[in-house]
Amino acid sequence: MQLGALRHLRFDPAACRGRRYPEPPHPYRTEFQRDRDRIIHSRAFRRLENKTQVFAPGLSDHFRNRLTHTIEVAQIARTVARALGLEEDLTEALALGHDIGHPPFAHAGEAALDELMRRYGERFDHNLHALRIVESFEQRYGSFRGLNLTFEVREGIVKHSRDFEPGELPELDEFLPGLRPPLEAQLIDRADEIAYNTADLDDAYSAGLIEFEQIVASVDRFRKFAEEVERLYPSGSERIVFHEVLRRLIDWLATGLIEGTCEAALQAGVSCVEEVRRYPERLVRFSGQADETNAQLKAFLHAHVYHSPPLLESRKRSAQMIAELFDLYVTQPELMPPPYCEEAKEQPVHRVVCDYIAGMTDTYFYRTYERLFGRSTLDLK
Ligand code: MG
């Protein structure tokens, strides 16, 4: 594949649809560089440091948290974007913002809030929550609420992992329903997968949840790389071999993503961003072999890590604590600090409570829970 082979499909910053509240251009930063900078300077971004990715920090200081995961996604996504000739600043802004809507306690937190909101006929989705954060919750500018990000970054946030048809989600009608997002936005979801599949393997191995030989037996590409690495470093410790295999695996998946996308886009014959948008499917994809590796990795992690007793147990407890706090605030909204307690007089209480809890870091959640219920959570941290 030629470097920059898809530069004709790059989203040109000059074609940006602009911001909700027009602002004069910056003398030397593009609109997407400004968006990236606004995301990095937001409170929601800093909070990622104290939000669990998969493994709660209690067992080790080396696990990914949602901030270090985000940096890994940005690094992979930028590499892919640059190799294909796509718009790197837009890609970086989207990667850095892709998880800012995550509630405390990773997927357990998201599933718990979603279940609680269903009682009221509503849902919780971290991508839609991220849109609410950048549209209104962040308050740091004199002339508008939110971060006033460009259309393309907000569109990328709501289409992170799915597209939607006209009328399917009326609140998102302004974000071009029925159309795919540009390639820069499409690739974030895949870069996210590469980052978390390989990182979860690493963290689970470090935590002693899985054995080297188990991975060898289940993931073909891991076995092939292990054979190669053992030949190269016959006296290397298992840990060194593991890490040499892991870096090859990340490279294999990122290369597979670059090649698969290039092939799909050239085969589809799309010649500009507008045609990428109108193409019936997403064009960012893994090559066949990388796709198989990705699927095997996913299956392995589901079978041996995500449903392992320690993770299931901690998920169950987080979900239970979230439900307890949610119910307490719904019945006594005055226990929430301003402006939430005031907002609860004007808006549906469950919505305000959900937004408040979703914004919490794990540590802030524990502190709040301990104060309100008088129970220690020390054994959970
Ligand atoms: Mg992520």
Side-chain angles (χ1 to χ4, degrees):
M1 190 214 74
Q2 278 228 316
L3 277 182
L6 300 187
R7 71 169 67 82
H8 58 295
L9 304 177
R10 161 180 175 261
F11 193 96
D12 181 355
C16 171
R17 281 178 161 78
R19 306 174 187 277
R20 199 177 289 288
Y21 308 96
E23 293 180 58
H26 189 272
Y28 52 85
R29 288 182 301 160
T30 66
E31 298 305 325
F32 300 138
Q33 280 178 291
R34 295 177 86 180
D35 280 4
R36 173 202 59 199
D37 301 347
R38 286 177 185 199
I39 290 167
I40 288 181
H41 287 274
S42 70
R43 252 180 18 171
F45 184 76
R46 289 195 296 282
R47 286 180 185 173
L48 293 171
E49 187 183 4
N50 282 310
K51 293 198 181 195
T52 294
Q53 173 63 17
V54 171
F55 300 91
L59 290 174
S60 161
D61 287 341
H62 308 136
F63 292 148
R64 272 84 179 167
N65 58 45
R66 217 156 265 284
L67 179 62
T68 54
H69 158 71
T70 293
I71 294 170
E72 291 180 356
V73 174
Q75 169 256 326
I76 292 167
R78 283 181 57 193
T79 300
V80 174
R82 189 183 299 193
L84 290 170
L86 301 176
E87 171 54 36
E88 214 174 312
D89 296 325
L90 172 57
T91 305
E92 186 180 18
L94 284 168
L96 292 174
H98 91 279
D99 264 354
I100 56 168
H102 249 291
F105 309 124
H107 287 284
E110 182 172 26
L113 283 178
D114 189 44
E115 203 184 307
L116 292 159
M117 290 299 276
R118 277 170 195 249
R119 288 191 204 157
Y120 302 90
E122 291 188 48
R123 303 291 308 264
F124 178 80
D125 172 277
H126 77 266
N127 294 320
L128 300 186
H129 189 70
L131 181 69
R132 290 155 59 80
I133 290 174
V134 303
E135 294 266 48
S136 58
F137 298 161
E138 284 286 331
Q139 291 183 28
R140 49 198 308 115
Y141 296 91
S143 23
F144 45 78
R145 274 170 81 95
L147 301 178
N148 198 28
L149 301 180
T150 58
F151 174 88
E152 288 73 21
V153 169
R154 287 176 294 132
E155 181 200 17
I157 289 174
V158 297
K159 292 183 181 167
H160 172 64
S161 44
R162 58 169 298 202
D163 299 324
F164 45 88
E165 294 307 312
E168 192 183 335
L169 298 164
E171 73 272 29
L172 300 181
D173 265 355
E174 66 178 294
F175 295 108
L176 308 177
L179 295 184
R180 257 39 67 209
L183 294 179
E184 286 84 353
Q186 294 187 26
L187 70 85
I188 305 301
D189 197 22
R190 295 304 193 164
D192 190 18
E193 261 184 78
I194 298 176
Y196 66 67
N197 283 335
T198 52
D200 293 347
L201 200 69
D202 187 13
D203 286 347
Y205 175 73
S206 310
L209 271 183
I210 51 173
E211 302 284 336
F212 185 87
E213 288 308 324
Q214 276 181 296
I215 321 171
V216 165
S218 311
V219 183
D220 295 337
R221 185 51 51 183
F222 190 94
R223 186 185 63 253
K224 284 181 189 142
F225 284 143
E227 286 161 6
E228 177 190 319
V229 169
E230 276 159 1
R231 272 197 305 278
L232 276 172
Y233 306 102
S235 53
S237 65
E238 188 187 279
R239 170 155 290 278
I240 289 293
V241 174
F242 175 85
H243 285 291
E244 284 286 342
V245 173
L246 194 69
R247 58 191 281 263
R248 281 168 174 75
L249 212 52
I250 299 172
D251 189 49
W252 166 261
L253 292 166
T255 306
L257 184 58
I258 292 165
E259 290 176 354
T261 301
C262 189
E263 200 190 310
L266 296 180
Q267 241 170 36
V270 288
S271 62
C272 61
V273 176
E274 216 32 56
E275 288 179 20
V276 169
R277 284 191 172 286
R278 297 197 180 283
Y279 200 72
E281 296 159 18
R282 290 190 170 209
L283 290 164
V284 167
R285 57 186 74 159
F286 289 111
S287 64
Q289 282 188 314
D291 197 41
E292 195 185 325
T293 306
N294 191 54
Q296 286 186 358
L297 261 177
K298 223 182 232 314
F300 177 81
L301 289 162
H302 276 280
H304 301 281
V305 178
Y306 303 142
H307 302 292
S308 63
L311 260 71
L312 277 182
E313 182 55 30
S314 94
R315 267 218 292 275
K316 216 173 84 189
R317 287 200 289 188
S318 328
Q320 199 183 330
M321 286 192 301
I322 286 184
E324 284 176 74
L325 193 61
F326 187 98
D327 288 340
L328 182 68
Y329 281 145
V330 166
T331 47
Q332 298 180 64
E334 67 280 6
L335 290 175
M336 288 189 290
Y340 297 97
C341 52
E342 272 112 51
E343 269 172 36
K345 291 175 192 151
E346 276 139 41
Q347 290 184 48
V349 183
H350 62 274
R351 176 40 69 190
V352 179
V353 170
C354 180
D355 287 341
Y356 181 43
I357 294 180
M360 292 181 179
T361 60
D362 294 14
T363 35
Y364 183 76
F365 182 95
Y366 282 132
R367 272 208 308 279
T368 308
Y369 184 93
E370 286 182 358
R371 183 169 51 79
L372 292 173
F373 291 99
R375 271 177 239 149
S376 169
T377 57
L378 206 60
D379 59 319
L380 306 177
K381 292 176 199 162

